[in-house]
Tab-separated table of all heavy atoms in Angstrom:
chain	number	residue	atom	x	y	z
A	1	ASP	N	175.188	256.780	-123.859
A	1	ASP	CA	176.230	256.796	-122.832
A	1	ASP	C	176.087	255.574	-121.921
A	1	ASP	O	174.993	255.267	-121.447
A	1	ASP	CB	176.121	258.082	-122.006
A	1	ASP	CG	177.254	258.197	-120.991
A	1	ASP	OD1	178.417	257.945	-121.359
A	1	ASP	OD2	176.957	258.512	-119.823
A	2	GLY	N	177.182	254.879	-121.707
A	2	GLY	CA	177.159	253.683	-120.855
A	2	GLY	C	176.979	252.392	-121.617
A	2	GLY	O	177.070	251.315	-121.024
A	3	THR	N	176.714	252.483	-122.917
A	3	THR	CA	176.604	251.270	-123.730
A	3	THR	C	177.922	251.030	-124.458
A	3	THR	O	178.690	251.965	-124.696
A	3	THR	CB	175.466	251.371	-124.762
A	3	THR	OG1	175.778	252.408	-125.695
A	3	THR	CG2	174.146	251.694	-124.085
A	4	ASN	N	178.186	249.789	-124.797
A	4	ASN	CA	179.447	249.489	-125.505
A	4	ASN	C	179.288	248.429	-126.579
A	4	ASN	O	180.266	247.906	-127.073
A	4	ASN	CB	180.534	249.066	-124.512
A	4	ASN	CG	180.123	247.860	-123.677
A	4	ASN	OD1	179.110	247.216	-123.962
A	4	ASN	ND2	180.889	247.574	-122.648
A	5	ILE	N	178.039	248.097	-126.932
A	5	ILE	CA	177.779	247.150	-128.019
A	5	ILE	C	176.819	247.797	-129.004
A	5	ILE	O	175.759	248.304	-128.612
A	5	ILE	CB	177.183	245.826	-127.499
A	5	ILE	CG1	178.169	245.135	-126.557
A	5	ILE	CG2	176.837	244.894	-128.659
A	5	ILE	CD1	177.629	243.869	-125.923
A	6	LEU	N	177.193	247.785	-130.255
A	6	LEU	CA	176.377	248.384	-131.308
A	6	LEU	C	176.013	247.313	-132.326
A	6	LEU	O	176.883	246.596	-132.807
A	6	LEU	CB	177.156	249.505	-131.996
A	6	LEU	CG	176.523	250.144	-133.229
A	6	LEU	CD1	175.292	250.951	-132.829
A	6	LEU	CD2	177.533	251.032	-133.948
A	7	VAL	N	174.732	247.192	-132.647
A	7	VAL	CA	174.262	246.253	-133.662
A	7	VAL	C	173.662	247.067	-134.803
A	7	VAL	O	172.795	247.920	-134.579
A	7	VAL	CB	173.199	245.281	-133.094
A	7	VAL	CG1	172.746	244.303	-134.178
A	7	VAL	CG2	173.758	244.521	-131.893
A	8	THR	N	174.120	246.803	-136.037
A	8	THR	CA	173.617	247.524	-137.201
A	8	THR	C	173.371	246.556	-138.351
A	8	THR	O	173.669	245.367	-138.249
A	8	THR	CB	174.628	248.591	-137.680
A	8	THR	OG1	175.800	247.931	-138.177
A	8	THR	CG2	175.014	249.539	-136.560
A	9	TYR	N	172.847	247.088	-139.422
A	9	TYR	CA	172.725	246.336	-140.674
A	9	TYR	C	173.390	247.169	-141.757
A	9	TYR	O	172.866	248.198	-142.172
A	9	TYR	CB	171.256	246.062	-141.020
A	9	TYR	CG	171.068	244.851	-141.898
A	9	TYR	CD1	171.042	243.575	-141.333
A	9	TYR	CD2	170.958	244.958	-143.274
A	9	TYR	CE1	170.891	242.446	-142.126
A	9	TYR	CE2	170.810	243.839	-144.074
A	9	TYR	CZ	170.773	242.584	-143.489
A	9	TYR	OH	170.640	241.468	-144.292
A	10	ASN	N	174.569	246.756	-142.147
A	10	ASN	CA	175.435	247.506	-143.071
A	10	ASN	C	175.977	248.765	-142.418
A	10	ASN	O	176.381	249.714	-143.097
A	10	ASN	CB	174.703	247.868	-144.370
A	10	ASN	CG	175.652	248.260	-145.483
A	10	ASN	OD1	176.761	247.741	-145.571
A	10	ASN	ND2	175.230	249.177	-146.331
A	11	GLY	N	176.040	248.769	-141.102
A	11	GLY	CA	176.501	249.944	-140.374
A	11	GLY	C	177.980	250.225	-140.525
A	11	GLY	O	178.409	251.378	-140.401
A	12	LYS	N	178.773	249.196	-140.782
A	12	LYS	CA	180.207	249.427	-140.941
A	12	LYS	C	180.508	250.242	-142.192
A	12	LYS	O	181.507	250.958	-142.243
A	12	LYS	CB	180.955	248.094	-140.980
A	12	LYS	CG	181.030	247.404	-139.626
A	12	LYS	CD	181.918	246.171	-139.649
A	12	LYS	CE	182.013	245.564	-138.252
A	12	LYS	NZ	182.870	244.350	-138.226
A	13	SER	N	179.641	250.106	-143.197
A	13	SER	CA	179.848	250.839	-144.445
A	13	SER	C	179.127	252.174	-144.466
A	13	SER	O	179.541	253.088	-145.186
A	13	SER	CB	179.378	250.006	-145.638
A	13	SER	OG	180.126	248.811	-145.747
A	14	PHE	N	178.033	252.308	-143.699
A	14	PHE	CA	177.233	253.523	-143.817
A	14	PHE	C	177.039	254.246	-142.485
A	14	PHE	O	177.570	255.331	-142.281
A	14	PHE	CB	175.874	253.210	-144.440
A	14	PHE	CG	175.018	254.421	-144.642
A	14	PHE	CD1	175.283	255.307	-145.683
A	14	PHE	CD2	173.973	254.705	-143.779
A	14	PHE	CE1	174.515	256.459	-145.863
A	14	PHE	CE2	173.193	255.839	-143.948
A	14	PHE	CZ	173.467	256.718	-144.993
A	15	ASP	N	176.292	253.651	-141.554
A	15	ASP	CA	175.868	254.370	-140.354
A	15	ASP	C	177.038	254.905	-139.526
A	15	ASP	O	177.081	256.087	-139.178
A	15	ASP	CB	174.997	253.460	-139.472
A	15	ASP	CG	173.795	252.927	-140.218
A	15	ASP	OD1	173.966	251.976	-141.004
A	15	ASP	OD2	172.696	253.469	-140.025
A	16	VAL	N	177.970	254.021	-139.191
A	16	VAL	CA	179.065	254.426	-138.313
A	16	VAL	C	179.968	255.475	-138.957
A	16	VAL	O	180.270	256.498	-138.335
A	16	VAL	CB	179.869	253.187	-137.853
A	16	VAL	CG1	181.190	253.597	-137.210
A	16	VAL	CG2	179.033	252.376	-136.862
A	17	PRO	N	180.436	255.275	-140.209
A	17	PRO	CA	181.247	256.333	-140.823
A	17	PRO	C	180.504	257.668	-140.919
A	17	PRO	O	181.101	258.731	-140.725
A	17	PRO	CB	181.562	255.774	-142.211
A	17	PRO	CG	181.452	254.299	-142.063
A	17	PRO	CD	180.356	254.088	-141.078
A	18	LEU	N	179.192	257.605	-141.207
A	18	LEU	CA	178.414	258.844	-141.335
A	18	LEU	C	178.334	259.575	-139.990
A	18	LEU	O	178.605	260.778	-139.910
A	18	LEU	CB	177.015	258.526	-141.851
A	18	LEU	CG	176.033	259.709	-141.910
A	18	LEU	CD1	176.575	260.814	-142.807
A	18	LEU	CD2	174.668	259.251	-142.383
A	19	ILE	N	177.971	258.848	-138.939
A	19	ILE	CA	177.838	259.475	-137.623
A	19	ILE	C	179.185	260.042	-137.164
A	19	ILE	O	179.263	261.173	-136.646
A	19	ILE	CB	177.300	258.462	-136.598
A	19	ILE	CG1	175.847	258.078	-136.937
A	19	ILE	CG2	177.384	259.025	-135.177
A	19	ILE	CD1	174.856	259.210	-136.789
A	20	ASN	N	180.250	259.276	-137.349
A	20	ASN	CA	181.574	259.754	-136.926
A	20	ASN	C	182.003	260.978	-137.732
A	20	ASN	O	182.620	261.900	-137.181
A	20	ASN	CB	182.602	258.640	-137.057
A	20	ASN	CG	182.488	257.599	-135.957
A	20	ASN	OD1	181.870	257.847	-134.921
A	20	ASN	ND2	183.089	256.447	-136.169
A	21	THR	N	181.685	261.002	-139.032
A	21	THR	CA	182.022	262.159	-139.866
A	21	THR	C	181.287	263.404	-139.390
A	21	THR	O	181.874	264.500	-139.297
A	21	THR	CB	181.670	261.887	-141.345
A	21	THR	OG1	182.496	260.832	-141.832
A	21	THR	CG2	181.893	263.131	-142.197
A	22	ARG	N	180.001	263.258	-139.067
A	22	ARG	CA	179.238	264.416	-138.602
A	22	ARG	C	179.789	264.934	-137.276
A	22	ARG	O	179.800	266.146	-137.029
A	22	ARG	CB	177.755	264.056	-138.453
A	22	ARG	CG	177.065	263.540	-139.704
A	22	ARG	CD	177.367	264.333	-140.956
A	22	ARG	NE	176.906	265.716	-140.891
A	22	ARG	CZ	177.071	266.596	-141.851
A	22	ARG	NH1	177.714	266.248	-142.966
A	22	ARG	NH2	176.621	267.848	-141.725
A	23	HIS	N	180.244	264.028	-136.401
A	23	HIS	CA	180.862	264.469	-135.150
A	23	HIS	C	182.115	265.287	-135.427
A	23	HIS	O	182.331	266.356	-134.837
A	23	HIS	CB	181.209	263.259	-134.275
A	23	HIS	CG	180.069	262.776	-133.440
A	23	HIS	ND1	178.993	262.100	-133.961
A	23	HIS	CD2	179.839	262.880	-132.097
A	23	HIS	CE1	178.152	261.799	-132.984
A	23	HIS	NE2	178.627	262.266	-131.846
A	24	LYS	N	182.952	264.801	-136.317
A	24	LYS	CA	184.199	265.503	-136.630
A	24	LYS	C	183.919	266.892	-137.194
A	24	LYS	O	184.598	267.867	-136.862
A	24	LYS	CB	185.019	264.681	-137.625
A	24	LYS	CG	185.628	263.413	-137.054
A	24	LYS	CD	186.417	262.678	-138.128
A	24	LYS	CE	186.998	261.376	-137.605
A	24	LYS	NZ	187.743	260.641	-138.657
A	25	LEU	N	182.916	267.001	-138.063
A	25	LEU	CA	182.597	268.279	-138.685
A	25	LEU	C	182.154	269.325	-137.666
A	25	LEU	O	182.286	270.530	-137.896
A	25	LEU	CB	181.512	268.095	-139.745
A	25	LEU	CG	181.947	267.386	-141.036
A	25	LEU	CD1	180.753	267.131	-141.931
A	25	LEU	CD2	182.981	268.230	-141.785
A	26	HIS	N	181.622	268.852	-136.537
A	26	HIS	CA	181.178	269.777	-135.494
A	26	HIS	C	182.170	269.848	-134.336
A	26	HIS	O	181.820	270.315	-133.241
A	26	HIS	CB	179.788	269.365	-134.993
A	26	HIS	CG	178.710	269.565	-136.006
A	26	HIS	ND1	178.211	270.819	-136.334
A	26	HIS	CD2	178.047	268.687	-136.807
A	26	HIS	CE1	177.274	270.686	-137.269
A	26	HIS	NE2	177.158	269.403	-137.576
A	27	GLY	N	183.398	269.380	-134.585
A	27	GLY	CA	184.438	269.489	-133.570
A	27	GLY	C	184.274	268.526	-132.413
A	27	GLY	O	184.849	268.742	-131.337
A	28	MET	N	183.500	267.454	-132.624
A	28	MET	CA	183.293	266.452	-131.581
A	28	MET	C	184.188	265.241	-131.844
A	28	MET	O	184.572	264.973	-132.984
A	28	MET	CB	181.824	265.987	-131.555
A	28	MET	CG	180.811	267.085	-131.347
A	28	MET	SD	179.114	266.408	-131.438
A	28	MET	CE	178.144	267.877	-131.117
A	29	SER	N	184.484	264.506	-130.808
A	29	SER	CA	185.241	263.263	-130.972
A	29	SER	C	184.346	262.230	-131.643
A	29	SER	O	183.136	262.188	-131.371
A	29	SER	CB	185.701	262.730	-129.611
A	29	SER	OG	186.561	263.660	-128.983
A	30	PRO	N	184.918	261.398	-132.524
A	30	PRO	CA	184.103	260.340	-133.152
A	30	PRO	C	183.396	259.507	-132.092
A	30	PRO	O	183.992	259.143	-131.072
A	30	PRO	CB	185.144	259.516	-133.924
A	30	PRO	CG	186.257	260.480	-134.186
A	30	PRO	CD	186.305	261.386	-132.983
A	31	LEU	N	182.129	259.223	-132.325
A	31	LEU	CA	181.315	258.546	-131.307
A	31	LEU	C	181.635	257.066	-131.201
A	31	LEU	O	181.819	256.526	-130.117
A	31	LEU	CB	179.835	258.735	-131.623
A	31	LEU	CG	178.841	258.113	-130.639
A	31	LEU	CD1	179.056	258.660	-129.235
A	31	LEU	CD2	177.411	258.381	-131.102
A	32	PHE	N	181.690	256.394	-132.356
A	32	PHE	CA	181.839	254.945	-132.357
A	32	PHE	C	183.287	254.580	-132.687
A	32	PHE	O	183.653	254.404	-133.842
A	32	PHE	CB	180.888	254.313	-133.379
A	32	PHE	CG	179.442	254.566	-133.081
A	32	PHE	CD1	178.673	255.339	-133.942
A	32	PHE	CD2	178.848	254.050	-131.942
A	32	PHE	CE1	177.335	255.582	-133.682
A	32	PHE	CE2	177.511	254.288	-131.669
A	32	PHE	CZ	176.752	255.059	-132.532
A	33	GLY	N	184.103	254.488	-131.668
A	33	GLY	CA	185.492	254.113	-131.855
A	33	GLY	C	185.692	252.623	-131.675
A	33	GLY	O	184.920	251.949	-130.979
A	34	LYS	N	186.724	252.081	-132.305
A	34	LYS	CA	187.001	250.642	-132.204
A	34	LYS	C	187.291	250.224	-130.769
A	34	LYS	O	187.026	249.081	-130.375
A	34	LYS	CB	188.170	250.269	-133.112
A	34	LYS	CG	187.872	250.400	-134.602
A	34	LYS	CD	189.076	249.976	-135.437
A	34	LYS	CE	188.766	250.104	-136.927
A	34	LYS	NZ	189.925	249.707	-137.764
A	35	ASP	N	187.845	251.147	-129.984
A	35	ASP	CA	188.220	250.817	-128.606
A	35	ASP	C	187.078	251.012	-127.629
A	35	ASP	O	187.172	250.598	-126.471
A	35	ASP	CB	189.417	251.676	-128.167
A	35	ASP	CG	190.657	251.417	-129.007
A	35	ASP	OD1	190.799	250.273	-129.497
A	35	ASP	OD2	191.461	252.348	-129.173
A	36	THR	N	186.007	251.650	-128.073
A	36	THR	CA	184.905	251.953	-127.161
A	36	THR	C	183.647	251.134	-127.438
A	36	THR	O	182.803	250.989	-126.553
A	36	THR	CB	184.548	253.453	-127.234
A	36	THR	OG1	184.264	253.805	-128.597
A	36	THR	CG2	185.705	254.308	-126.723
A	37	PHE	N	183.526	250.598	-128.680
A	37	PHE	CA	182.315	249.857	-129.032
A	37	PHE	C	182.655	248.536	-129.704
A	37	PHE	O	183.542	248.476	-130.554
A	37	PHE	CB	181.427	250.669	-129.978
A	37	PHE	CG	180.481	251.591	-129.289
A	37	PHE	CD1	180.894	252.856	-128.897
A	37	PHE	CD2	179.179	251.200	-129.003
A	37	PHE	CE1	180.026	253.724	-128.258
A	37	PHE	CE2	178.305	252.053	-128.367
A	37	PHE	CZ	178.724	253.319	-127.987
A	38	THR	N	181.943	247.490	-129.309
A	38	THR	CA	181.937	246.253	-130.072
A	38	THR	C	180.827	246.370	-131.108
A	38	THR	O	179.658	246.500	-130.757
A	38	THR	CB	181.680	245.041	-129.158
A	38	THR	OG1	182.744	244.933	-128.217
A	38	THR	CG2	181.591	243.758	-129.975
A	39	HIS	N	181.200	246.357	-132.363
A	39	HIS	CA	180.228	246.588	-133.431
A	39	HIS	C	179.876	245.261	-134.104
A	39	HIS	O	180.732	244.598	-134.669
A	39	HIS	CB	180.821	247.562	-134.457
A	39	HIS	CG	179.859	247.934	-135.540
A	39	HIS	ND1	180.193	248.788	-136.574
A	39	HIS	CD2	178.556	247.583	-135.776
A	39	HIS	CE1	179.164	248.940	-137.372
A	39	HIS	NE2	178.153	248.213	-136.918
A	40	ILE	N	178.610	244.906	-134.048
A	40	ILE	CA	178.109	243.704	-134.706
A	40	ILE	C	177.280	244.144	-135.903
A	40	ILE	O	176.173	244.653	-135.753
A	40	ILE	CB	177.249	242.859	-133.743
A	40	ILE	CG1	178.049	242.477	-132.508
A	40	ILE	CG2	176.727	241.607	-134.451
A	40	ILE	CD1	177.220	241.819	-131.416
A	41	ASP	N	177.851	243.998	-137.088
A	41	ASP	CA	177.128	244.324	-138.325
A	41	ASP	C	176.474	243.040	-138.820
A	41	ASP	O	177.149	242.084	-139.194
A	41	ASP	CB	178.100	244.874	-139.370
A	41	ASP	CG	177.390	245.453	-140.592
A	41	ASP	OD1	176.252	245.026	-140.883
A	41	ASP	OD2	177.986	246.316	-141.260
A	42	MET	N	175.154	243.020	-138.853
A	42	MET	CA	174.419	241.806	-139.175
A	42	MET	C	174.428	241.468	-140.662
A	42	MET	O	174.134	240.336	-141.037
A	42	MET	CB	172.968	241.929	-138.697
A	42	MET	CG	172.808	241.932	-137.185
A	42	MET	SD	173.407	240.394	-136.430
A	42	MET	CE	172.280	239.212	-137.158
A	43	LEU	N	174.778	242.421	-141.529
A	43	LEU	CA	174.747	242.138	-142.963
A	43	LEU	C	175.743	241.049	-143.357
A	43	LEU	O	175.362	240.109	-144.080
A	43	LEU	CB	174.980	243.410	-143.769
A	43	LEU	CG	175.039	243.235	-145.288
A	43	LEU	CD1	173.766	242.600	-145.823
A	43	LEU	CD2	175.304	244.573	-145.981
A	44	PRO	N	177.011	241.107	-142.949
A	44	PRO	CA	177.935	240.024	-143.316
A	44	PRO	C	177.475	238.657	-142.816
A	44	PRO	O	177.630	237.653	-143.520
A	44	PRO	CB	179.257	240.448	-142.655
A	44	PRO	CG	179.161	241.932	-142.535
A	44	PRO	CD	177.717	242.201	-142.242
A	45	MET	N	176.899	238.605	-141.613
A	45	MET	CA	176.411	237.323	-141.107
A	45	MET	C	175.212	236.837	-141.913
A	45	MET	O	175.087	235.643	-142.206
A	45	MET	CB	176.040	237.452	-139.632
A	45	MET	CG	175.583	236.143	-139.000
A	45	MET	SD	176.820	234.807	-139.151
A	45	MET	CE	178.117	235.440	-138.074
A	46	ALA	N	174.319	237.755	-142.282
A	46	ALA	CA	173.166	237.368	-143.108
A	46	ALA	C	173.641	236.800	-144.440
A	46	ALA	O	173.080	235.830	-144.952
A	46	ALA	CB	172.256	238.572	-143.338
A	47	ARG	N	174.678	237.401	-145.003
A	47	ARG	CA	175.220	236.878	-146.260
A	47	ARG	C	175.783	235.479	-146.068
A	47	ARG	O	175.607	234.602	-146.925
A	47	ARG	CB	176.303	237.820	-146.779
A	47	ARG	CG	175.756	239.119	-147.359
A	47	ARG	CD	176.863	240.105	-147.666
A	47	ARG	NE	176.364	241.274	-148.368
A	47	ARG	CZ	177.031	242.416	-148.457
A	47	ARG	NH1	178.235	242.536	-147.894
A	47	ARG	NH2	176.514	243.437	-149.111
């Protein structure tokens, strides 16, 4: 809570969709929304 930048490694394909899916399954709002987080996935840059 209070953070708005997320750094992952292949998170756009795995971590973020997984976490958001689990939130939905439990009736929660998706955690990592495009309007709430700047997502920096380091895998594309490493490539």
